[in-house]
Amino acid sequence: MKIAPEKFRFAALAVDVPVYGLINGKLHGLIAPVNRPPHYVNVEGFLGGMVDAKENALEAAQRVLQEKGNLKDVYLEQLYTFSEVDRDKRNRVVSVAHLGLVRPDTAAAYAHPHAHFVPIQKLHDLAYDHDEIHRAALARLRGNITHSTIAQFLLPRHFTLTELQSLYEMILGHELDKRNFRKKILALEILKDTGRMQEGVRNRPAALYTFTTTKLQELPLIA
Amino acid sequence: MKIAPEKFRFAALAVDVPVYGLINGKLHGLIAPVNRPPHYVNVEGFLGGMVDAKENALEAAQRVLQEKGNLKDVYLEQLYTFSEVDRDKRNRVVSVAHLGLVRPDTAAAYAHPHAHFVPIQKLHDLAYDHDEIHRAALARLRGNITHSTIAQFLLPRHFTLTELQSLYEMILGHELDKRNFRKKILALEILKDTGRMQEGVRNRPAALYTFTTTKLQELPLIA
DNA sequence: GCAAAAGTGTTAGGTATACACCCATGC
DNA sequence: GCATGGGTGTATACCTAACACTTTTGC
């Protein structure tokens, strides 16, 4: 395979990866300083980078997270391709954005000199078109959480039903009824009781659950 | 804005556009011969082409349909970006696939020397990764038809409830109850009775309906 | 009058919602 | 013993699904 003729290769192909994770029970997004004078200084953005000649977009996203964020085992799915001519004021760069989700242990262990997790409400005025990417990512998350087991990629391996419900509430943006939520989610048989209990809490310890599957699973409809 | 450094511009950026339309009440996809020796000869594929330096992917898709299919006023939405390294055996080409839908009048008027509409069941063994694009497009259509008014882009301006139901059945792949379907779809208030009737049919003429909106509208859930 | 598709309601079962109190633990 | 969050059931309203016959037209 050879490269395409010059006249078709005006654009650089990139990936941008909005990564979200729970920190102290709140949704955060991972951003890092962007420094590309003269257009982008004193500004932050999601992790991103160029796609290599020998990898597809998903592989590029994995590599970028590894290289620029020291992150492994991140759940990734393709989100949307941003191709506005001037989305990067320096050059024509087309970006295949991927949604990334990390579990709290990964997120907490994450200590990069530059990149850091910021509460999603504070993610604005980002570099390039990353505000738009952020909106698209949250919309995707909202759509997925009611139709799949995507929550499993944001929660620790063992979690309480209250933690799960709280995640749903944060993503959906409204409160849910505790009894109804439990009835519905348990009826789906996607969770199993580990038999273990919370420890070291100063109230009645909650039962710890885990997802029965490690893969993303489509669901009829929750919440 | 200048172009990116050479080392990042190894890939060509393309669009591929699976276009679907109703012909004689059946779903068809639009394909044309592909002739790119030595890898792609005697094979067909969806319309596609390169993205220009001064347009975004959606604009490229519109232009490609205009130039290669003489098609205007096609409903388009971004589908998925296909970036496998060897998806095009000649060169590295990354393609932003877009789903296209045309109304029967547009589809019927369409008479290109090469491109032609083929029943969706017969769309296989296409060039490049177009079989995969076809599957992704149908899956998207299936997901959208129950959550939006996307059916409006496949039907004539005036249509009968039976035609609408039949479209739902073809896309969902199973039959629906006539009375229940009518109740639900009318309750959504997305249709209005035009007051006109079918003419020239040799059975009781059906009432003609039209969508109240010309834009895509999200719905709670149909069928 | 016959063939073909249009149009129309009711019932039963299941699902969604609203709602409040007792329980186990740490301090 | 008190503060904190965990855990549980019922009654009602709503929605879904199943189902068959009469009507209008062209020929």
Side-chain angles (χ1 to χ4, degrees):
Chain A
M1 188 167 73
K2 53 194 172 58
I3 62 171
E6 171 90 24
K7 65 171 174 167
F8 295 128
R9 290 180 290 113
F10 51 84
L13 189 69
V15 290
D16 283 303
V17 192
V19 173
Y20 299 93
L22 289 175
I23 312 263
N24 299 325
K26 302 278 181 220
L27 256 192
H28 287 59
L30 183 66
I31 55 174
V34 169
N35 191 13
R36 295 278 190 270
H39 302 293
Y40 304 101
V41 292
N42 291 323
V43 66
E44 300 198 287
F46 294 118
L47 299 186
M50 295 301 160
V51 176
D52 279 352
K54 304 221 166 132
E55 65 187 2
N56 65 27
L58 180 63
E59 289 160 352
Q62 285 168 330
R63 181 179 50 75
V64 163
L65 293 187
Q66 171 72 252
E67 289 176 4
K68 302 196 176 172
N70 196 33
L71 286 171
K72 278 190 290 197
D73 297 322
V74 178
Y75 169 80
L76 283 170
E77 69 174 45
Q78 194 187 110
L79 180 60
Y80 194 80
T81 295
F82 294 85
S83 64
E84 288 304 314
V85 173
D86 62 351
R87 60 175 292 281
D88 183 329
K89 296 200 189 85
R90 295 173 300 155
N91 313 308
R92 180 82 194 262
V93 178
V94 170
S95 175
V96 186
H98 286 68
L99 169 64
L101 303 177
V102 295
R103 284 182 234 271
D105 47 348
T106 312
Y110 183 82
H112 191 277
H114 299 301
H116 50 114
F117 279 96
V118 171
I120 53 169
Q121 295 78 9
K122 297 196 177 161
L123 288 173
H124 45 69
D125 301 311
L126 301 175
Y128 313 113
D129 52 1
H130 286 199
D131 283 350
E132 192 182 348
I133 293 179
H134 176 51
R135 281 194 296 277
L138 291 184
R140 172 71 64 91
L141 203 46
R142 229 176 288 125
N144 278 355
I145 200 153
T146 49
H147 293 84
S148 75
T149 59
I150 202 169
Q152 73 186 284
F153 303 110
L154 284 166
L155 290 170
R157 299 289 177 181
H158 293 182
F159 52 87
T160 69
L161 293 182
T162 300
E163 286 167 349
L164 180 63
Q165 180 179 342
S166 157
L167 175 59
Y168 271 77
E169 291 174 343
M170 278 185 289
I171 292 175
L172 295 175
H174 59 87
E175 302 206 334
L176 300 169
D177 180 271
K178 181 159 65 162
R179 279 173 291 192
N180 294 338
F181 179 78
R182 284 165 185 237
K183 253 180 294 180
K184 255 193 272 189
I185 208 94
L186 291 174
L188 293 170
E189 303 192 336
I190 53 174
L191 302 182
K192 72 164 177 277
D193 192 330
T194 62
R196 301 185 54 220
M197 289 281 163
Q198 266 184 326
E199 284 173 26
V201 286
R202 72 174 186 290
N203 49 37
R204 177 173 172 177
L208 292 172
Y209 286 81
T210 192
F211 278 88
T212 49
T213 170
T214 57
K215 295 215 182 100
L216 185 68
Q217 197 177 119
E218 299 288 317
L219 295 178
L221 185 67
I222 327 173
Chain B
M1 189 167 73
K2 52 193 173 58
I3 63 170
E6 171 89 25
K7 65 171 175 167
F8 295 127
R9 291 180 289 110
F10 52 84
L13 189 68
V15 290
D16 283 303
V17 192
V19 173
Y20 299 92
L22 289 175
I23 311 263
N24 299 326
K26 302 278 180 219
L27 257 191
H28 286 61
L30 183 66
I31 55 174
V34 168
N35 191 13
R36 295 274 191 273
H39 302 294
Y40 304 102
V41 291
N42 291 323
V43 66
E44 301 198 287
F46 294 118
L47 300 186
M50 295 300 161
V51 175
D52 278 352
K54 304 222 166 130
E55 66 187 3
N56 64 30
L58 180 63
E59 288 160 353
Q62 285 167 330
R63 182 179 50 73
V64 163
L65 293 187
Q66 171 71 253
E67 288 176 5
K68 302 197 176 170
N70 196 32
L71 286 170
K72 277 190 292 198
D73 297 322
V74 179
Y75 168 80
L76 283 170
E77 69 176 43
Q78 194 187 109
L79 180 60
Y80 195 81
T81 296
F82 293 85
S83 64
E84 287 303 316
V85 173
D86 62 351
R87 59 175 292 282
D88 182 330
K89 297 202 188 83
R90 294 172 302 152
N91 313 308
R92 179 83 194 259
V93 177
V94 170
S95 175
V96 185
H98 286 68
L99 169 65
L101 304 178
V102 294
R103 284 182 234 273
D105 46 350
T106 312
Y110 183 82
H112 190 278
H114 298 300
H116 51 114
F117 279 96
V118 171
I120 54 168
Q121 295 78 9
K122 297 195 177 164
L123 289 173
H124 45 70
D125 301 310
L126 300 175
Y128 312 113
D129 52 0
H130 286 199
D131 283 350
E132 192 182 348
I133 293 179
H134 176 52
R135 281 193 297 275
L138 291 185
R140 173 70 65 90
L141 204 46
R142 229 176 289 126
N144 279 355
I145 201 154
T146 47
H147 293 84
S148 75
T149 58
I150 202 168
Q152 72 186 287
F153 303 110
L154 284 166
L155 289 170
R157 299 289 177 184
H158 294 183
F159 52 88
T160 70
L161 293 181
T162 299
E163 285 167 349
L164 180 63
Q165 180 178 342
S166 156
L167 175 59
Y168 271 77
E169 290 174 343
M170 278 186 289
I171 291 176
L172 294 174
H174 58 89
E175 302 206 334
L176 300 170
D177 179 90
K178 180 159 67 160
R179 279 174 290 193
N180 294 338
F181 179 79
R182 284 165 186 238
K183 254 179 293 180
K184 254 192 273 190
I185 207 96
L186 291 173
L188 293 170
E189 302 192 336
I190 53 174
L191 302 181
K192 72 165 178 277
D193 191 332
T194 62
R196 299 185 54 221
M197 289 282 165
Q198 265 185 326
E199 283 172 28
V201 286
R202 72 175 186 290
N203 49 35
R204 176 171 172 178
L208 293 171
Y209 285 80
T210 191
F211 277 90
T212 50
T213 171
T214 56
K215 294 213 184 104
L216 186 68
Q217 197 178 120
E218 299 288 317
L219 294 178
L221 186 66
I222 327 172

